[in-house]
Amino acid sequence: MLEILSKIMAAFGAAIVVPIVIFIIAMFLKVKPKRAFQAALNAGIGLTGFNMLIGAYTPIVTPVVNNMVKHTGVNLRILDTGWQATSVVAYSTQVGMIFLGLGLLIQVILFLLKFTNIFMASDLWNNYSFMLWGSMLYIVTKNIFLSIGLMILQNLFTLLFTEILAKRWSKYYGYPGTTISAPHDVTQVPYAIIMDWILNKLGANKVKWNPENVQKRLGFMGEPVTLGLILGMLLGLAGNYMRLDQLAAWGQIATVGVATATIMSIFPKIAGVFASAFTNITDATKKSAKSSGKGREWYLAINDAAGYGEPATLLTGLLLIPVILLLSIFLPGNQALPMVDLIAIPYIIQPIIAISKGNIFKSLISGAFILSVNLYIITAVAPTFTEVAKSVGVSIPAGALLIASFVVLGNYFLGSLFLIFLTQNPMLISLTVA
């Protein structure tokens, strides 16, 4: 059964699974079949559009990032092979596959019992984060119950943080009744709230670096498309500064600039189509609440690709690429070299962006600090992940002693829970559960 479920997820993916879920929910809420079908189709079009856009953008920027890494001349022993490779590992372990079915059951039951207002099952794919940590714990301890306990606890914390974030994310990114629940994203929530409060106390909120204010001050130079062009070209320069005497370098600089401007221009249009998918469900929920005299505010979990190209998110993410590369070089004790996942930074900083209300200045500070902490988490857990990867037949790239994912394994919260469970200390584990 679990193998069939895995094959279904691999064959269809979020762009098909989420529309089916939306159609079922819409029909349950008594939306007319025609409108329910259109809503589901728009969700599929939106998710496909996001993935196509990001999929086309990534191979344009990745060579520039690789050049930046190459020019540093640093030889750190943990190589970032990307979240895609990590997800494959998670779906290849027996412990991971057990939780794929168990996690789905838990998430649906908790929602139906109104223990949570997040329908997390619609973003089932991103359960691979839990599956990975549980598999790593099992490899070391050989304790299946401890491993399943860790994954369930991580899921519960993720649901808690998702509830805290839901309204903020939905409002800021403009998707009614929806939120992200990817564990590698929403676990930033407690840190983001505390850090935002500290930065406000220090007066950082007086620095109004958000897309709207920047555009007012700089005119057409401050428009998202123009900023995307400028920032993309600066990123291209950073990756080609050693060969500026070559025409190919300037071609790459210009290409990255135009590609980034394209994301800024096209992404809002796709986002509009995607957001329209949830209008009917939101309206139906309001009508149901009004007729019954009381209502339940709930949120549908969607893929975090939905927020990737929002101007403040993408701009902050791109600015953090050279910052985190430099930090990985100079931070004492760090052994991780971010590489493939650097272009994925806009996924994981969405809670920080939403909580700071799009303030790029505060988000840069918060992002740089937490990503630095995550480097040390990767340094601590990479040996175990490499062992898991080898056990399912993953070959280690030439020149790398260990492998990891900057996005998935660079998770201060889930990583800390893993390290606590790794001690197998009943007192420490009981405290985390409590």
Side-chain angles (χ1 to χ4, degrees), residues 158-340:
T158 298
L159 275 169
L160 172 63
F161 299 149
T162 302
E163 286 203 348
I164 295 169
L165 178 67
K167 186 175 288 186
R168 293 175 171 94
W169 191 92
S170 178
K171 182 178 180 180
Y172 179 79
Y173 285 92
Y175 299 119
T178 65
T179 185
I180 54 171
S181 65
H184 43 272
D185 300 341
V186 299
T187 45
Q188 313 287 350
V189 166
Y191 161 78
I193 291 174
I194 294 169
M195 192 64 172
D196 192 66
W197 180 81
I198 292 171
L199 290 173
N200 286 342
K201 289 295 182 181
L202 294 174
N205 58 319
K206 295 176 183 177
V207 182
K208 305 293 184 181
W209 284 12
N210 56 50
E212 294 78 16
N213 288 329
V214 170
Q215 187 173 343
K216 284 180 183 177
R217 291 193 175 194
L218 299 180
F220 84 95
M221 292 294 291
E223 293 179 2
V225 172
T226 311
L227 285 173
L229 175 67
I230 295 169
L231 186 54
M233 292 187 71
L234 288 174
L235 192 64
L237 278 168
N240 287 280
Y241 72 93
M242 294 290 286
R243 58 182 195 131
L244 292 178
D245 58 334
Q246 299 178 25
L247 190 61
W250 289 101
Q252 190 175 58
I253 291 167
T255 300
V256 175
V258 173
T260 308
T262 302
I263 290 276
M264 294 295 194
S265 175
I266 298 177
F267 202 94
K269 296 177 176 63
I270 299 174
V273 175
F274 187 61
S276 68
F278 304 99
T279 305
N280 290 329
I281 291 178
T282 305
D283 292 343
T285 303
K286 288 178 180 177
K287 286 179 183 177
S288 176
K290 190 175 180 180
S291 61
S292 63
K294 60 179 181 177
R296 177 189 182 189
E297 185 179 16
W298 62 277
Y299 292 83
L300 183 74
I302 59 174
N303 194 277
D304 48 359
Y308 185 97
E310 188 275 325
T313 307
L314 185 59
L315 290 173
T316 305
L318 292 178
L319 286 169
L320 281 170
I321 289 176
V323 172
I324 199 62
L325 263 178
L326 289 172
L327 287 170
S328 68
I329 295 167
F330 295 110
L331 284 173
N334 169 58
Q335 291 295 317
L337 179 64
M339 195 171 175
V340 178

